[in-house]
Amino acid sequence: MPIFEELAKSVVNGDVERVRELTRQAITAGEDPLEVINNGLIVGMNIVGPRFKAGEMFIPEVLMCARAMQAGMELLKPLLVGQDVPVIGKVVLGTVKDDLHDIGKNLVAMMLESSGFTVINLGVNISPEQFVEATKENQPDIVGMSALLTTTMEMMRNTIEALKEANLREQVKVIIGGAPVSQEFAYEIGADGYAPDAASAVELCKKLLGK
Ligand code: B1M
């Protein structure tokens, strides 16, 4: 099986060790690192996303796929310095204040990164002020917020208000996600979009940036 095809398959299988081995082989064979990413790793993740969305794959499997993809990326990233990596857009991502749930948010981060976005993952318990600071500092295209608790959903509204007060709201698209939130809530608080899962978050970000 050609190496790129086998790499893609190993990402889909979530086989971290095989992805490492094949990525090393591709590097030793002199393959262009960007082609290894685009024609191997990303091809694999592009199969995983829709399967997850269709309910054919489950969270633990997707996490393994994302981990396998990251294992390959770690070996390739140092070789990409100085190369023109095609970046679709920049996303500042965090779990809102008083909320410590991060498994879903990290899944969203990994899927976005795998799809060509630069992600600034702020972590958990991120206050409106911290979102504002990170937006000033990083000038992202999109601010993404995650909340898993009904009690912390309101922090999303507060963060949007803080972005408005800092005159940053017009510069960025805002997306929200997490089990208790909905499209209706996104409309209510003035977010630009809501995604029910990680694969949809990638689609939404691409759509909002016209990609
Ligand atoms: Co907590 N917890 N928890 N918890 N916890 C829930 C959320 C809960 C529903 C459990 C329950 O009671 N049935 C409940 C919330 C009830 C409510 O508010 N309606 C709850 C509670 C009450 C609590 C505590 C208050 C418990 C306590 O201490 N009394 C406490 C709060 C701590 C805090 O945050 N301040 C707490 C603590 C914890 C742990 C620390 C133990 C742990 C979190 C570990 C961690 O994240 N590192 C935890 C866990 C694991 C859960 C459950 C079991 C699983 C959450 C999860 O990771 N799901 C959860 C029950 C459940 O959901 N079944 C529960 C898997 C993950 C991949 O899915 O996060 O939904 P999810 O992400 C999805 C989508 O939502 C979406 O994409 C992801 C992938 O498809 N998505 C986005 C998420 N963010 C997005 C952002 C986007 C777009 C899409 O754009 C920006």
Side-chain angles (χ1 to χ4, degrees), residues 12 42-58 62 65 111 115 197-203 206:
V12 177
I42 288 183
V43 171
M45 272 320 268
N46 283 345
I47 297 170
V48 172
R51 280 198 192 168
F52 177 49
K53 209 178 158 190
E56 293 162 15
M57 280 179 98
F58 301 100
V62 177
C65 299
M111 297 280 275
S115 309
D197 55 55
S200 311
V202 173
E203 280 172 24
K206 285 184 178 168

Side-chain angles (χ1 to χ4, degrees), residues 75-88:
L75 295 172
L76 293 162
K77 262 184 190 164
L79 307 174
L80 290 171
V81 179
Q83 277 208 35
D84 237 355
V85 189
V87 172
I88 301 182

